[in-house]
Amino acid sequence: MSENCNHDCNSCSANCASREGGTPDFTAPANANSRVKKVISVVSGKGGVGKSLVTSLMAALMRRRGHSVAILDADITGPSIPTAFGIHTQLMASDEGIYPAVSPTGIKLVSLNLLLDNETDPVIWRGPIIAGTVKQFWSDVMWGDVDFMFVDMPPGTGDVPLTVFQSLPLDGILVVTSPQELVGMIVEKAANMAAMMNIPVLGIVENMSYFKCDQCGKEHRIFGDSHVEAIAGRRGISNVARLPIDPTIAAACDGGRIEMLDAPWLEDLATALEKN
């Protein structure tokens, strides 16, 4: 037993001898009206690298490929998924559970922002309450038939990522990074956490990788040379994608039109997820 043990195994990833009868199962039960085939978490060790963007683009891309898709917004204190899809109505519920919101193209999504009286109200909760809310999004929402569910995670390796890794039946994670070497180091922490939890890394996406000049067509590395290949090589990650710095991407997110944006940079990654 660790000298800092608080006797709450649900908030700890260590497999110490104090776990009686082996490692307990913290898997949260799915709603009776949910049939989700694949659950993929989008993670990073640092905020501001584009996890919500990658989550939104991947969901929209898989939907265009004919799959039923859902997004569980696990970034409780900083939810941005509803804005990207232009959804601002509050969620409804019945005795059977919560109904997810549905985007114009049919993507189901749940976010805490859709439960607040005002979207700009701050969520001032402690970790256990936030983690419990994420589990409720899995257990209390009537997701229906879903081929791919993407979980938009908060940054880091704290309460919520641990809760998702332990409570949801994850098929794998996508790691999001940006070109800076420091960010790459932090992102590897997330990949290491996934390895400790025996969850496969299905791909890595480098956001803000380059800017392509619309005049000369040359690619400029605004934030320095890419390190994504080195990170992928160290982690044994075969599926790598790069997103450019492009004003049309930001405009689509801010305007709630993310589903209308083509994402050719992620096509190969989407194909890999289909084959996984």
Side-chain angles (χ1 to χ4, degrees), residues 63-141:
R63 182 61 184 150
R64 284 198 295 272
R65 289 182 169 220
H67 301 288
S68 55
V69 181
I71 297 176
L72 190 160
D73 190 355
D75 194 352
I76 302 300
T77 60
S80 56
I81 292 295
T83 298
F85 286 87
I87 297 176
H88 305 283
T89 57
Q90 286 196 321
L91 299 177
M92 305 296 290
S94 70
D95 292 338
E96 296 180 284
I98 301 170
Y99 295 100
V102 181
S103 75
T105 66
I107 297 173
K108 301 174 183 177
L109 60 92
V110 165
S111 172
L112 190 68
N113 250 22
L114 302 179
L115 293 170
L116 300 176
D117 291 333
N118 299 295
E119 293 183 347
T120 56
D121 288 345
V123 178
I124 309 174
W125 295 348
R126 294 192 182 275
I129 298 176
I130 294 174
T133 300
V134 172
K135 292 174 68 174
Q136 284 185 284
F137 282 172
W138 172 255
S139 298
D140 293 354
V141 174

Side-chain angles (χ1 to χ4, degrees), residues 21-53:
T23 303
D25 182 9
F26 296 120
T27 304
N31 186 276
N33 296 293
S34 298
R35 293 164 296 279
V36 182
K37 294 180 180 178
K38 290 185 179 181
V39 183
I40 299 169
S41 181
V42 182
V43 309
S44 180
K46 185 181 184 301
V49 296
K51 292 181 296 300
S52 297
L53 171 63

Side-chain angles (χ1 to χ4, degrees), residues 1-2 5 9 12-20 22-23:
M1 180 185 298
S2 169
C5 180
C9 295
C12 177
S13 61
N15 289 319
C16 62
S18 63
R19 294 183 186 268
E20 297 181 4
T23 303

